[in-house]
Amino acid sequence: MVRARSFAARARSRKATTGTLLAGLATAVLTAAAVLTTGAANASQEHPEGPAKPAGPAASAGTTPAPSPHTSAVPAHALTGYWQNFNNGATVQKLKDVDDAYDIIAVAFADTTGQPGAVTFNLDPAVGYASADDFKADIKTKQAAGKSVIISVGGEKGTVSVNDDASAKNFADSINKLMDEYGFNGVDIDLENGLNSTYMTQALKAVHAAHSDVVVTMAPQTVDMQSPQNEYFKTALAIKDFLTVVNMQYYNSGSMNGCDGKVYSQGSVDFLTGLACIQLEGGLDPSQVGIGVPASSRAAGSGYVAPSVVNAALDCLTQGNNCGSFKPSKTYPGLRGAMAWSTNWDASSGNEFAGQVGAHVHALP
């Protein structure tokens, strides 16, 4: 993620390098006027591609899988953070050292394989784990504390393509295998280079069929959620019965339309509230909407806002207080919360985001 994904930093080699992505022209869907977005560069990291692994078992037809023993219920108001499986200059952390304020920890990122749609996971030596078993033990430690640990797929340079029946099956089988092997609670979809709603929906439903308690999060870019007709939005609505939260990336974006048809610039409370309103009025439940932002000014190319701005947006959306010029026509007290790219960048800034936004999220009525 972000990303600084837009939410995404990735490791594709053992040495992570920062890349940029130009978010292109976005067509304004809520007014007749076309809006030119000036997408900023995504701070990203590449990471190693591992060998393909055999697909995991799928759920038998007609059966309902029991919840996993490592199930961690996501709080009504939750803080999500991405944990970097690479070193890009932010604080290098073990998973167990992630601030306790984070309720959902997305491990960034899964690696592609030679099999279309399939992913695997390779620990980067840079993060300091002696073995995969030590990493798995840290997952269990977090889960014992009530946290959900999920595997994130994508990032700015993620090239996973799920665009037919075969790749959808490969994706689902490999995610199910990683959940079984590592104990992940679920999956985060952070594909920034295109998404096919038909086949991604098919794949995620297959994951849900095998793991009824799966935690599914998404981190689309702003342009991806301007209309319910966009592929990301369509996917979110298609899995609404088990979708946990969409933490859209409110950064590396440029100006975008809000739900009132007005254009808002990133880095403002109006940008956060006006764009969240599109999702809230476009069919998602408030519990499925979160605000995704950089944890520090160094975490993204643009769009950083102080924790106080995030908290004001949360207040505006849930209670109608502390709004900017845009005030939604109603409140959404069930709003899920917020997301940070990343826990590592947050640690580099003294865990300011976790301390201020995390406390505010958990104090929401």
XYZ file of all heavy atoms in Angstrom, residues 67 216 229 292:
27
model
N -15.003 -22.704 10.931
C -14.039 -21.624 11.139
C -12.691 -22.170 11.583
O -12.611 -23.177 12.289
C -14.693 -20.784 12.243
C -16.159 -21.059 12.109
C -16.233 -22.511 11.709
N -11.341 -10.478 4.212
C -11.026 -9.975 2.872
C -11.014 -8.451 2.901
O -12.020 -7.821 3.232
C -12.034 -10.462 1.824
C -11.687 -9.885 0.444
C -12.057 -11.980 1.760
N -19.701 1.159 -11.230
C -19.488 0.444 -12.487
C -18.021 0.117 -12.723
O -17.703 -0.634 -13.655
C -20.036 1.277 -13.661
C -21.526 1.553 -13.570
C -22.335 0.286 -13.373
O -22.172 -0.697 -14.103
N -23.220 0.285 -12.384
N -7.725 5.004 3.916
C -6.324 4.595 3.793
C -5.410 5.772 3.506
O -5.598 6.485 2.515
